[in-house]
Amino acid sequence: MSSIGIIGFGRFGKLSARYLSKDFPVVVSTRSDKAEAIKACGARSVSLEAACRQPVVILCMPISAMRETLRQVAPLLSEDALVVDVCSVKVYPVQWMRELLPETVSILPTHPMFGPDSAANSLNGRKIVLCPERIGGDQYDKIRAWLARQGLVVIQTTAQEHDEKIAVSLSLTHFIGRSLSAFGARDLDIDTEGYKRLMHILGVVSHDTWQLFEDMHTYNPYAKQKRQAFIDAMTDIHERLSQ
């Protein structure tokens, strides 16, 4: 049974530790003192060096911190380690991992399409995207099979296809939610089912940090194009109503 090292213990790092520790020995490295919280998840708090010595290393940090983290972990990894990332964009992380990690290290970019709120009680029916980049077939098949046993819907694609689609399904959704918040949208006693759905979008993004929102737009090469197309469409409709 392979042990797993998790780098970072934010909201998603904590969720990962909780689920993975049910089946694997898990150690966690984080810059702050969260030993008790890590223990409560069934994992152990260790140094960065110790976490990087594990056969599987999962990077759970903001996209904006990933490149510098890769520089730190690269010389600490075992020769045949597997490095997994969980960023909500994929093109740039793939480039950085190929550039900065030793060639003997395997790479599996992923994007879990769920978070601490949506997967608080179960992974069943949630989606996870895999972009196999540099990984042996047997190891990849074992990982994919384990994910499927957790009830996850596994989607395999390329980093480019992922980022183009996620620029609409995630980045644009968060853009709308943040815009609703800035507008001052709130629950109303006189409402409609459509308005309730808008408020649901606002609620989905309200627990995520501004850094996550900014990163998913800054580091997705397709996000600005999709965002601008949406703004153009709204402007066109607004102008038609103003005629």
Side-chain angles (χ1 to χ4, degrees):
M1 181 183 295
S2 295
S3 56
I4 297 173
I6 296 177
I7 313 298
F9 196 68
R11 296 184 76 223
F12 194 82
K14 182 177 182 179
L15 183 74
S16 300
R18 181 161 65 85
Y19 278 112
L20 290 168
S21 62
K22 295 177 182 179
D23 289 339
F24 307 97
V26 176
V27 298
V28 179
S29 170
T30 183
R31 289 179 294 180
S32 54
D33 183 11
K34 297 182 179 178
E36 290 303 315
I38 291 170
K39 183 178 179 181
C41 291
R44 290 190 302 114
S45 177
V46 299
S47 66
L48 179 63
E49 291 78 8
C52 289
R53 286 197 296 268
Q54 307 309 309
V56 179
V57 177
I58 302 178
L59 306 177
C60 294
M61 73 281 303
I63 306 161
S64 53
M66 187 178 176
R67 191 179 182 97
E68 181 55 34
T69 301
L70 286 169
R71 294 185 191 277
Q72 294 175 11
V73 307
L76 304 175
L77 295 168
S78 300
E79 184 177 358
D80 58 350
L82 167 65
V83 175
V84 179
D85 89 284
V86 295
C87 291
S88 58
V89 298
K90 296 270 69 80
V91 170
Y92 286 127
V94 167
Q95 292 177 3
W96 298 337
M97 286 189 284
R98 277 195 163 277
E99 172 191 349
L100 298 171
L101 296 181
E103 292 185 1
T104 61
V105 170
S106 299
I107 298 170
L108 180 58
T110 77
H111 180 192
M113 302 293 292
F114 53 86
D117 299 319
S118 59
N121 300 314
S122 172
L123 294 175
N124 193 50
R126 305 301 176 191
K127 296 179 180 180
I128 184 168
V129 177
L130 305 181
C131 303
E133 181 64 24
R134 194 168 72 197
I135 183 172
D138 289 345
Q139 187 176 31
Y140 177 74
D141 289 342
K142 289 178 181 177
I143 292 171
R144 181 166 184 156
W146 182 85
L147 293 170
R149 287 197 299 272
Q150 310 315 303
L152 288 164
V153 177
V154 181
I155 301 170
Q156 180 177 321
T157 187
T158 64
Q160 289 76 15
E161 184 178 12
H162 168 276
D163 280 9
E164 186 167 11
K165 289 181 177 179
I166 212 70
V168 175
S169 64
L170 181 66
S171 301
L172 185 58
T173 298
H174 276 245
F175 180 72
I176 293 171
R178 291 283 178 176
S179 299
L180 287 169
S181 177
F183 168 75
R186 57 185 176 84
D187 291 329
L188 299 171
D189 57 346
I190 302 176
D191 59 7
T192 64
E193 289 302 316
Y195 186 77
K196 289 176 182 177
R197 293 189 182 98
L198 284 177
M199 293 305 296
H200 175 72
I201 294 175
L202 192 157
V204 166
V205 306
S206 63
H207 294 151
D208 292 323
T209 64
W210 177 265
Q211 182 178 35
L212 173 63
F213 173 66
E214 188 173 40
D215 285 352
M216 73 173 64
H217 282 270
T218 301
Y219 294 99
N220 186 324
Y222 303 97
K224 184 176 181 179
Q225 169 193 343
K226 301 297 184 182
R227 186 172 71 245
Q228 187 61 55
F230 179 74
I231 292 172
D232 291 344
M234 286 197 302
T235 300
D236 179 63
I237 291 173
H238 174 69
E239 289 175 351
R240 288 168 63 186
L241 286 173
S242 301
Q243 291 176 358

